Amino acid sequence: MVFPATSCQFAISSRLGIFCPLAYGESTTSNPFCSKIVGMDSTGSPKRPNLLNHLLLPLNVIEDQFGRGVVLVGQVIIIWFKAIACMLTGRIDWREAFRQCYLIGNQSFIIVSLTALFVGFAMSLQISRELVAFGGDTAIGGVVSLALVREMGPITAGVMLAGRVGSAIAAELTTMMITEQIDALKVMRVDPIEFLVVPRYIAGLLMMPVLSIYAMTVGLVASIWISMIAANLPPATFLDSVKQTILDRDFGVHFTKAIINATLVIMFSCAVGLNTRGGAEDVGLATTRAIVWVMTSIFIFNYVVTSLTYAPR
Amino acid sequence: MAIPVHTDQKMIEIDQVEKSFGSHRVLKGISFHVRAGERLGLIGPSGCGKSTLLKLITHLLEPDRGTVTVNSPEVGLVFQGSALLNSLTVRENLALALRRRKLSKKDEESIIQEKLSFVGLSDFLNAYPTQLSGGQQKRTSFARAIVNDPKIILYDEPTTGLDPVMSTIIEDYMIKLGEESNAAAIIVTHQYSTWTRTAERVLLMHDGGAVWEGTPEEALKTDNPFMRQFAHGYKEGPMLEGLI
Ligand SMILES: Nc1ncnc2c1ncn2[C@@H]1O[C@H](COP(=O)(O)OP(=O)(O)OP(=O)(O)O)[C@@H](O)[C@H]1O
Ligand SMILES: [Mg+2]
């Protein structure tokens, strides 16, 4: 895409928070520090850019964001391949991997419990209400468990892991990058992928299915309780319905989603961390960036897996 | 009888090296070399590219143009900010540098002990970097850099931010290590006492190139306007022209 130079200048400078007089096409001084005087009108507020610039501004922003996104996805793929290569050749620090397992479990256990509990409450309340109205009480268990096993279990655990573990990894690796700890590793000829990414990835792969199944179970227990209170449904009836509805395949899909979510959380947060340079304020920015990417991709991949496995034929 | 071997081998050779970050040209064709057993003091104003040069020598960065030749598989770098791994203890930090040699636990332990006692930190084996003072962190970083007995050691501001006594102690380590190991060293520093005491030869950088080279004694007497200004800290002179 080619845009007029002035609009690009304006877009870039405005995003950097720098007032760039050249973008307005009316620079009257050669001193770049005089932008305050040049770019202001008599009331002291910045003059508006011309209409064309204004219209093209969102496009510039989109182009810039899109470019950075493509770069990040490329970095994620490279890191993922390198991590897989390390794992296939047996370069795994199991002690560190188990330490990371402990950290992940410890960090996300309570938060996953809480969110799964309330997801279960809300869902079974809605579903019982509607099904009771149609006289379909006995189907409550089936519908709730379908939603939990196929969608809500993996998503809840994935999003919580992203918020709790992904952000911590992105912040930790960015800090290591900024304080030159990663450079120190390279000078010592220790591979940062092997030393930092692989143990976290293994821990993610081991813990994510556990947390997903746990989230699903907590949600199910919450649902049984709520449907008992709200719809007078005996737990036995609820569980009967669950048994009749849930197939083995559902657990396979559940597991697949958990593995994909673990990969997304760990790889995006590591890629963001290992590719950020700058100062302390960049730690916060990198963390936000990692979370946004992980969550968005979790929802997208969740849909892709669902559409590949459950689409009506 | 042990006679110190003073070979003439060039351990580090920098030839017409250029390096830019985006549109910012940091190094503009700098050349110099360091021989085995020699300690080169690299001085120059902040931001002139000294740390960048050390990163080129350790292959953390690649030059845009020119060549960097390093004649040792093992290079030790004492980072400007220590750069110890915060999640590991002092012992583990040193062990990490030894990891790829796959030594027995006993050998590893004795090397770690030896290097830590060289920098006087034997009592801090199990401390985490955050529990150490700045000077102790620098010394740990020093021990980590020499743990594999490198034939090239790079010091990035090893004495900055330390009290005068600790500075002298670290300077002594650098001199002692140079004499014992016959390693080539580059000492990047802003501290007058450090380069006058430890360096055998001094290179002054300015605007991406070398503007003066000589011994510390010559540095104090030279007529070179850059070196004169830098050695005496004059405000008037060719350095930082237009910035003050
Ligand atoms: N990774 C990087 N990306 C962009 N610019 C960089 C990067 N590393 C260094 N620079 C820039 O290169 C220039 C030289 O930096 P360098 O760290 O080598 O300076 P220095 O001589 O070591 O300074 P000081 O004495 O303050 O440590 C600086 O202007 C810095 O902003
Ligand atoms: Mg520096």
Side-chain angles (χ1 to χ4, degrees):
Chain A
M1 265 186 275
V2 178
F3 295 115
T6 50
S7 71
C8 288
Q9 276 171 354
F10 176 72
I12 293 165
S13 57
S14 63
R15 244 170 294 141
L16 292 173
I18 302 165
F19 195 73
C20 178
L22 288 176
Y24 299 87
E26 52 177 341
S27 170
T28 55
T29 169
S30 60
N31 184 348
F33 300 107
C34 280
S35 55
K36 258 193 183 133
I37 304 162
V38 180
M40 300 282 176
D41 62 18
S42 54
T43 60
S45 56
K47 283 183 184 171
R48 301 181 69 78
N50 67 41
L51 189 64
L52 182 67
N53 288 345
H54 214 79
L55 290 176
L56 288 176
L57 186 62
L59 280 180
N60 283 327
V61 175
I62 290 170
E63 186 194 19
D64 181 51
Q65 291 293 325
F66 183 74
R68 279 157 43 96
V70 170
V71 170
L72 177 63
V73 170
Q75 288 162 342
V76 166
I77 293 172
I78 290 171
I79 288 185
W80 187 54
F81 274 126
K82 284 184 179 170
I84 296 283
C86 269
M87 285 155 69
L88 290 180
T89 48
R91 282 177 288 153
I92 299 172
D93 185 344
W94 284 106
R95 232 187 80 193
E96 175 65 10
F98 286 126
R99 200 179 72 90
Q100 291 293 334
C101 281
Y102 170 76
L103 286 179
I104 290 179
N106 202 15
Q107 281 174 341
S108 28
F109 177 72
I110 292 183
I111 200 164
V112 168
S113 312
L114 269 177
T115 42
L117 194 68
F118 284 95
V119 165
F121 281 164
M123 238 174 37
S124 67
L125 207 56
Q126 291 279 11
I127 290 171
S128 333
R129 198 187 124 100
E130 297 304 320
L131 287 186
V132 165
F134 290 108
D137 307 26
T138 48
I140 293 176
V143 177
V144 169
S145 59
L146 269 190
L148 276 174
V149 177
R150 291 182 182 175
E151 303 292 329
M152 294 315 285
I155 288 228
T156 308
V159 165
M160 284 303 118
L161 201 77
R164 194 66 188 81
V165 176
S167 60
I169 291 178
E172 185 186 4
L173 296 200
T174 308
T175 308
M176 290 181 76
M177 197 72 194
I178 288 167
T179 54
E180 298 186 312
Q181 293 178 46
I182 309 273
D183 282 345
L185 285 178
K186 290 180 188 163
V187 171
M188 292 188 280
R189 281 188 266 154
V190 175
D191 180 8
I193 305 279
E194 184 186 334
F195 183 71
L196 297 168
V197 181
V198 170
R200 284 166 178 74
Y201 188 36
I202 298 230
L205 290 179
L206 292 177
M207 294 308 287
M208 194 73 198
V210 174
L211 285 169
S212 284
I213 291 187
Y214 173 71
M216 183 191 76
T217 314
V218 170
L220 215 53
V221 171
S223 305
I224 293 175
W225 193 37
I226 283 289
S227 44
M228 207 167 71
I229 297 170
N232 274 325
L233 191 74
T237 319
F238 188 103
L239 287 174
D240 266 349
S241 169
V242 172
K243 271 183 227 155
Q244 280 168 22
T245 322
I246 297 293
L247 311 168
D248 287 348
R249 187 182 69 164
D250 293 325
F251 286 101
V253 172
H254 185 97
F255 184 75
T256 309
K257 286 184 175 180
I259 295 295
I260 290 176
N261 288 348
T263 306
L264 294 171
V265 170
I266 306 295
M267 291 303 149
F268 269 103
S269 43
C270 286
V272 168
L274 291 179
N275 289 291
T276 305
R277 290 198 171 263
E281 71 278 9
D282 293 293
V283 177
L285 292 178
T287 312
T288 312
R289 186 161 183 244
I291 299 283
V292 169
W293 275 92
V294 171
M295 293 216 184
T296 314
S297 56
I298 283 180
F299 283 98
I300 294 173
F301 273 85
N302 181 64
Y303 171 71
V304 170
V305 175
T306 300
S307 71
L308 288 178
T309 45
Y310 294 112
R313 286 174 221 285
Chain B
M1 195 168 62
I3 300 166
V5 197
H6 270 281
T7 59
D8 260 3
Q9 194 196 359
K10 288 179 184 167
M11 296 300 284
I12 305 170
E13 217 176 336
I14 306 284
D15 187 28
Q16 290 298 324
V17 164
E18 295 180 23
K19 179 75 193 170
S20 305
F21 294 106
S23 60
H24 181 188
R25 286 184 72 203
V26 178
L27 299 175
K28 304 175 183 173
I30 188 168
S31 306
F32 64 87
H33 62 262
V34 190
R35 293 182 191 280
E38 186 180 33
R39 289 188 300 278
L40 175 77
L42 193 60
I43 57 177
S46 193
C48 71
K50 304 182 295 295
S51 299
T52 304
L53 205 46
L54 297 191
K55 285 187 181 155
L56 287 166
I57 296 170
T58 45
H59 295 295
L60 290 172
L61 294 172
E62 293 303 322
D64 299 337
R65 213 160 289 133
T67 52
V68 176
T69 316
V70 178
N71 286 323
S72 163
E74 204 64 64
V75 178
L77 172 58
V78 180
F79 281 85
Q80 191 162 357
S82 297
L84 299 168
L85 279 104
N86 282 329
S87 57
L88 304 180
T89 61
V90 167
R91 173 200 269 122
E92 288 163 345
N93 263 288
L94 267 66
L96 192 59
L98 286 169
R99 191 159 86 157
R100 78 190 127 80
R101 282 167 60 182
K102 297 198 166 58
L103 301 167
S104 69
K105 271 267 161 283
K106 209 171 124 244
D107 292 345
E108 191 178 288
E109 199 57 34
S110 78
I111 294 179
I112 292 173
Q113 284 290 356
E114 179 202 329
K115 302 300 175 189
L116 279 180
S117 68
F118 182 83
V119 296
L121 280 178
S122 304
D123 295 342
F124 292 86
L125 218 48
N126 294 316
Y128 284 91
T130 44
Q131 299 168 325
L132 301 177
S133 73
Q136 289 166 336
Q137 288 182 16
K138 276 268 162 67
R139 280 145 73 195
T140 310
S141 185
F142 195 135
R144 182 179 69 177
I146 60 174
V147 84
N148 283 313
D149 300 315
K151 286 291 160 208
I152 294 176
I153 310 171
L154 312 171
Y155 305 94
D156 200 349
E157 309 201 3
T159 52
T160 304
L162 303 182
D163 66 73
V165 180
M166 187 47 69
S167 295
T168 311
I169 292 174
I170 295 222
E171 286 159 12
D172 288 344
Y173 291 151
M174 294 194 279
I175 296 168
K176 190 169 132 203
L177 190 77
E179 280 161 3
E180 282 176 7
S181 72
N182 198 38
I186 296 183
I187 301 156
V188 168
T189 184
H190 285 303
Q191 205 143 312
Y192 179 79
S193 65
T194 304
W195 61 264
T196 47
R197 273 196 71 207
T198 58
E200 295 160 334
R201 197 154 56 87
V202 179
L203 188 92
L204 177 64
M205 277 177 74
H206 173 65
D207 194 27
V211 287
W212 189 84
E213 198 181 332
T215 64
E217 294 77 39
E218 290 164 0
L220 303 178
K221 292 182 225 139
T222 177
D223 286 337
N224 180 294
F226 289 99
M227 193 64 232
R228 251 174 64 83
Q229 185 188 359
F230 204 76
H232 302 281
Y234 297 144
K235 273 205 289 188
E236 290 76 26
M239 248 177 213
L240 309 177
E241 207 156 57
L243 283 183
I244 314 172

